[in-house]
Amino acid sequence: GSKARIGYAGMKDKRGITTQFCTLYRTMPQQIVNGKQQQQKQKSGGGNTKQKGYSVVQVGNFEFVSKELQLGMLKGNRFDIILRNVKVTEGDGNKGEDVAAAHDDLEKQRQVLEQAAKSMKDKGFINYFGTQRFGKFNDTHLVGIAVLKGDFKKAVDILMEIKPEDRQDIAKARKDWQERFKYGETKENESTTAKKVLKRLNRFMTGEIAIVQCLAKHPMDYKRAFGCIPKNLRMMFLHAVQSLVWNRAASYRIGSMDRDNVIAGDLVPGEGEDFASRVKVVTPDDVTSNRYNIEDVMIPLVGRKTVLPTNELGATIETIMNEIGVTIDMFKGVQDRELVVNGDYRKVVCHPTDFDYTIKEYFDPLQPLLQTDLMKVQGEDITIEPKKEGETSKLAMIVGFTLPSSSYATIALRELMKHPTSNEFQKELKLE
């Protein structure tokens, strides 16, 4: 069947061995199997670039269900993650200086790892939005801010800027776009450049293609051009603004207020189902009676209908918004009916469930250490290869946990490891 007939509750990570349930409307199991076999014959598909995906997609566990899966139905995600070649560092790990004694003593390293795992299991972590929320080039929220201000030309300019990792031909196409008015700021110049640039964009540049296609026909109509971007992508820009404000508010709530206890004016879950009663404001009596704890505290994802805490955090959220140049009224003033942002509430502390971990010693840097779901189905076990000449002993920590939807495993790992999880930091790590 076509992609449009496939239902799923949430997106999976691009890099990882993932398993998820999908629904296909009015499709028989044999049709899916036949499609998989045809894909293998053609040696094509999504996924691993070298293998073209055809060897990494497996289907099975078929059953008929009455309801189609849709985005938003996801309750949570289970993660099983391998941290390879773990090195214990002195103090809080920020200095990055290896402690020789710890390296010589595997038992000492195990103790430190177990202590870190126990802390994560008992205390959880601040429920920050991960860096991926702000885009590969950390500019998604900047587009959102421009849209909230009604400056669609700036939003388009940010999207069309040259990116640090652009291929040379893509960078040249972006540069040509930036210089479209070199011989005069006219509609004709923009339309002509748009047609030329469009031919040089690759198929993954969904937003840029939509913009340039529109401006080729309707030059200088930047609001229309932005509206041509698919709805889910347009929403991402506004969600990134909400996430930025939330992250900074969470840092203030934990870093500058009482990090361990509920205080009067905090927001906690309400008892009603309608938007207005989804949260309640903590009263002094609530604090005195210990009715709530820090894991109940919620911070708003600002929007048209959200209410702010009535303690100093509320004023701080308004200050944070002013610092980036947006207001609640801007969310209320969004005219695109597809981009209505009512807002939401998010707990400041996330507590992983089903948390478990194992620590394994291994020698080969490429040693498989974790059974995939497919390996379990096929009865394949993990066997640690014996030490070979020239190999050194290494420790790996395998952590497993379940997070609610929209909580980030990268943030959980950052708390566990006390190290950044950004691409720049990860690129410096080595398998041995």
Side-chain angles (χ1 to χ4, degrees), residues 39 42-48 51-54 57 203:
Q39 183 189 58
Q42 295 174 347
K43 295 189 176 182
S44 64
N48 182 283
Q51 299 295 328
K52 296 184 180 178
Y54 67 88
V57 178
R203 63 191 178 95

Side-chain angles (χ1 to χ4, degrees), residues 376-390:
K376 292 175 183 176
V377 169
Q378 296 177 340
E380 296 180 36
D381 292 324
I382 296 290
T383 303
I384 303 295
E385 296 295 327
K387 185 176 181 180
K388 298 176 184 176
E389 186 176 348

Side-chain angles (χ1 to χ4, degrees), residues 13 20 46 68 116 133 169 273 283 315 323 334 368 379:
D13 290 323
Q20 70 182 122
E68 183 178 12
R133 189 79 166 190
D169 58 330
E273 293 186 4
T283 65
E323 287 172 351
V334 174

Side-chain angles (χ1 to χ4, degrees), residues 58-74:
Q58 299 290 335
V59 294
N61 197 27
F62 302 115
E63 64 175 307
F64 289 102
V65 295
S66 57
K67 289 187 178 180
E68 183 178 12
L69 284 176
Q70 295 179 342
L71 286 173
M73 290 183 174
L74 187 67

